[in-house]
């Protein structure tokens, strides 16, 4: 019989109380299908679309079993991004608040000594990126994973790319054989299937959708055709027509992310960038401003395509077409989450038509053309082009300032080094050549 509430799944009273306080009333499909076998101690492979509630699907059974058997360092969750790690930890703490659950985040870009202190306090849950966790396992005295009862590989398809492979292999060797393993992903790849065979014991496979690449039914998906030289004007037209919405714009490069943000800001929009050149504190600051409503437009690289859980995102705009179909799935998964409605718009230039047709074939559906007003677009062109020139000047000035900072650091290296501040100057950025407008 299908579970109609979380109490039907047999969860302990503290968790039911927390779910009620968080206003989680009905389990999603992936939660309903996973929690029962997980409470029985089975290994789980969960395949479900982004935004379907995968985090609670593994957090709830782990917390239920922790309540039955209080144990320090009870579970280890591996995440591909820092942002996802922080959000996963926050969900564990929210769901386990009445149980006194202690969760710690171990990711790069943060102070290792402070992390070692947190690990020494014996948290119940460690949520980590593979590289930094592997580093602590090698160098932090007294820290090990020998007592871990549960391992979670979240966004497993991304964890298994070459960047993480060596760290993942070493971490798996340092885990006890007697453990429960949960593997969750939005897509099933050959690498995920290989890991299933080597790391899971007689797993229960739960697939919340029958299609390999899928999006949720509450997501309205559109495309817009526009010449490459008019993409920025078209973007501003879209933003202007949805000014009160919460919007994520995805760009392919850091350079485009910076330029789009500067253009939108000069036109009076509340936009903030999120990309890999920012420090960890800057990334978290940008995300929190967006989540808190101080800025309603987030301009991001694919760094934000996984893990960002902002329930109120109304629209996702793909300014640059994603390279792979699964990247599109993850991007548009930032909206229409947990049963809510949402909208995505793919901006298609003359160079993107063939990739869009391939995407439609993978999705098994046609995208609808988004209606536009050519007169309104024409009226915006002059202002947007002026904003583009202003953005190009700002980027050139930024590059020049960084070059000067590099020279000052080289001089400082030859003399007394005590007053250096490496955080003042960030890494350089390739120059931007403004497109000629027709």
């Amino acid at each position: 019989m299908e579970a109609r509430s979380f109490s039907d799944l047999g969860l302990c009273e503290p968790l039911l109380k927390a779910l009620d306080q968080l206003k989680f009333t009905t389990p999603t499909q992936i939660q309903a299908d996973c929690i029962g076998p997980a409470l029985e101690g089975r290994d789980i492979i969960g395949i479900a679309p982004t935004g379907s509630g995968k985090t609670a699907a593994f957090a709830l059974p782990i917390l239920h079993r922790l309540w039955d058997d209080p144990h320090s360092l009870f579970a280890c969750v591996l995440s591909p991004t820092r942002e996802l790690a922080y959000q996963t930890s926050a969900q564990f703490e929210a769901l386990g608040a009445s149980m006194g659950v202690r969760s710690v985040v171990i990711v790069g870009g943060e102070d290792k000594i402070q992390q070692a202190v947190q690990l020494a306090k014996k948290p119940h849950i460690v949520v980590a990126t593979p590289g930094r966790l592997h580093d602590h396992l090698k160098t932090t005295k007294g820290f090990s994973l020998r007592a871990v009862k549960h391992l979670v590989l979240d966004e497993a398809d991304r964890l298994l790319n070459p960047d993480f492979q060596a760290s993942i292999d070493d971490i798996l060797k340092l885990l006890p054989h007697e453990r429960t393993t949960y593997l969750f992903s939005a897509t099933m790849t050959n690498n995920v299937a290989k890991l299933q065979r080597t790391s899971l014991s007689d797993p229960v496979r739960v697939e919340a959708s029958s299609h390999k690449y899928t999006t949720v039914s509450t997501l309205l998906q559109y495309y817009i055709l526009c010449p490459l030289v008019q993409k920025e004007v078209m973007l501003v037209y879209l933003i202007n027509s949805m000014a009160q919405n919460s919007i994520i714009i995805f760009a392919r490069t850091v350079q485009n992310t910076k330029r789009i943000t500067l253009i939108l800001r000069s036109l009076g929009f509340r936009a903030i960038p999120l990309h890999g050149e920012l420090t960890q504190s800057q990334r978290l600051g940008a995300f929190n401003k967006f989540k808190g409503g101080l800025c309603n437009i987030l301009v991001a690289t694919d760094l934000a395509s996984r893990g960002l859980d902002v329930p109120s995102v109304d629209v996702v705009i793909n300014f640059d077409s994603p390279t792979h179909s699964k990247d599109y799935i993850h991007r548009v998964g930032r909206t229409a989450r947990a049963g809510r409605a949402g909208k995505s718009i793919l901006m298609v230039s003359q160079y993107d038509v063939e990739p869009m047709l391939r995407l439609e074939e993978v999705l098994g559906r046609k995208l609808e053309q988004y209606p536009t007003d050519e007169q309104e677009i024409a009226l915006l062109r002059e202002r947007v082009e002026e904003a583009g020139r202003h953005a190009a000047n700002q980027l050139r000035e930024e590059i020049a300032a960084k070059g000067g900072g590099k020279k000052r650091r080289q001089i400082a290296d030859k003399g007394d080094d005590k007053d250096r501040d490496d955080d003042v100057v960030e890494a350089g950025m390739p120059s931007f050549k403004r497109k000629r407008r027709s």
Side-chain angles (χ1 to χ4, degrees):
M1 185 176 68
E2 186 176 345
R4 289 170 295 182
S5 70
F6 285 102
S7 59
D8 294 337
L9 298 172
L11 293 168
C12 63
E13 193 59 37
L15 287 178
L16 294 176
K17 180 179 177 182
L19 288 163
D20 184 58
Q21 292 173 341
L22 294 169
K23 302 191 184 307
F24 293 173
T25 55
T26 305
T28 65
Q29 183 184 344
I30 192 71
Q31 292 163 1
D33 291 346
C34 284
I35 291 175
L39 294 183
E40 296 171 2
R42 299 289 300 276
D43 285 2
I44 302 287
I45 299 172
I47 307 296
T50 299
S52 59
K54 293 193 296 290
T55 303
F58 63 74
L60 288 168
I62 287 173
L63 292 171
H64 175 93
R65 299 186 76 185
L66 176 63
W67 178 250
D68 290 337
D69 179 23
H71 196 287
S72 63
L73 200 49
F74 191 73
C76 175
V77 182
L78 294 179
S79 298
T81 68
R82 302 170 186 180
E83 290 70 27
L84 178 57
Y86 277 103
Q87 291 192 128
T88 300
S89 177
Q91 186 145 12
F92 267 104
E93 293 193 340
L95 292 169
S98 62
M99 299 165 54
V101 168
R102 300 187 307 277
S103 176
V104 64
V105 177
I106 304 298
V107 296
E110 301 288 357
D111 185 82
K112 273 188 66 179
I113 296 175
Q114 182 58 37
Q115 289 177 347
V117 170
Q118 292 177 310
L119 290 171
K121 293 179 180 178
K122 300 189 182 305
H124 300 108
I125 314 291
V126 170
V127 187
T129 49
R132 179 53 66 92
L133 180 64
H134 186 222
D135 196 6
H136 277 286
L137 287 167
K138 292 190 297 183
T139 62
T140 300
K141 188 176 180 180
F143 172 61
S144 78
L145 298 175
R146 288 191 297 269
V148 164
K149 304 293 185 185
H150 292 265
L151 170 68
V152 180
L153 295 159
D154 194 12
E155 302 285 5
D157 56 329
R158 179 103 171 261
L159 280 174
L160 296 173
N161 70 31
D163 294 337
F164 297 126
Q165 192 65 59
S167 296
I168 293 284
D169 289 345
D170 286 346
I171 290 168
L172 290 175
K173 293 173 185 175
L174 297 171
L175 285 158
H177 292 294
E178 294 297 321
R179 67 171 191 267
T180 304
T181 303
Y182 303 147
L183 186 154
F184 281 82
S185 179
T187 55
M188 189 67 173
T189 64
N190 291 334
N191 282 340
V192 173
K194 182 179 177 181
L195 182 67
Q196 165 198 338
R197 293 191 295 270
T198 58
S199 299
L200 283 76
S201 175
D202 189 26
V204 174
R205 180 179 172 122
V206 175
E207 196 157 356
S209 62
S210 58
H211 201 280
K212 184 178 179 182
Y213 297 103
T214 186
T215 52
V216 295
S217 59
T218 54
L219 175 66
L220 301 175
Q221 300 178 71
Y222 299 94
Y223 73 92
I224 279 184
L225 287 173
C226 62
L228 182 63
V229 294
Q230 293 183 22
K231 281 185 79 173
E232 290 170 354
V233 177
M234 183 65 78
L235 177 65
V236 172
Y237 165 78
L238 289 174
I239 299 294
N240 203 43
S241 66
M242 308 173 185
Q244 303 307 312
N245 288 293
S246 175
I247 303 169
I248 299 180
I249 301 166
F250 281 103
R252 187 174 295 119
T253 64
V254 172
Q255 179 179 323
N256 272 0
T257 302
K258 290 181 176 182
R259 177 178 169 84
I260 292 167
T261 304
L262 290 171
I263 289 173
L264 293 178
R265 283 177 172 175
S266 69
L267 294 172
F269 296 105
R270 294 178 296 134
I272 194 164
L274 180 63
H275 54 73
E277 286 187 8
L278 300 175
T279 65
Q280 184 58 35
S281 60
Q282 288 172 329
R283 293 185 197 182
L284 287 174
F287 172 64
N288 288 331
K289 284 181 180 178
F290 179 64
K291 189 172 184 178
L294 295 177
C295 297
N296 70 315
I297 301 170
L298 184 71
V299 187
T301 61
D302 277 319
L303 180 71
S305 67
R306 303 197 188 201
L308 290 189
D309 186 11
V310 184
S312 58
V313 174
D314 302 305
V315 183
V316 167
I317 298 175
N318 284 285
F319 180 82
D320 291 321
S321 294
T323 307
H324 302 291
S325 299
K326 69 176 182 179
D327 295 328
Y328 174 87
I329 301 293
H330 290 296
R331 285 182 179 187
V332 301
R334 299 310 100 202
T335 187
R337 298 176 70 82
R340 298 177 178 86
K343 183 185 300 180
S344 70
I345 300 173
L346 178 66
M347 300 188 69
V348 180
S349 75
Q350 63 269 38
Y351 305 107
D352 302 316
V353 175
E354 187 177 343
M356 186 190 79
L357 295 175
R358 288 200 303 267
L359 172 64
E360 290 180 331
E361 185 176 351
V362 167
L363 293 173
R365 59 170 295 176
K366 292 287 185 182
L367 304 183
E368 296 180 42
Q369 186 163 6
Y370 193 80
T372 57
D373 187 319
E374 292 300 324
Q375 285 188 326
E376 285 189 29
I377 295 168
L379 290 173
L380 288 169
R381 185 166 294 128
E382 185 176 344
R383 289 182 60 205
V384 175
E385 290 179 354
E386 176 59 32
R389 290 189 287 272
H390 180 65
N393 289 335
Q394 284 185 271
L395 292 173
R396 281 193 290 268
E397 290 171 6
E398 180 184 335
I399 294 166
K402 288 174 181 177
K406 181 178 181 181
K407 192 169 184 179
R408 287 193 295 274
R409 290 204 307 275
Q410 291 171 342
I411 294 170
D413 282 339
K414 297 176 183 178
D416 189 354
D417 198 39
K418 65 182 180 181
D419 291 325
R420 285 181 60 195
D421 183 359
D422 290 332
D423 291 330
V424 172
V425 184
E426 298 176 3
M429 185 194 72
S431 62
F432 178 83
K433 294 182 180 179
R434 183 167 59 86
K435 303 182 186 73
R436 294 181 64 85
R437 304 295 182 186
S438 58

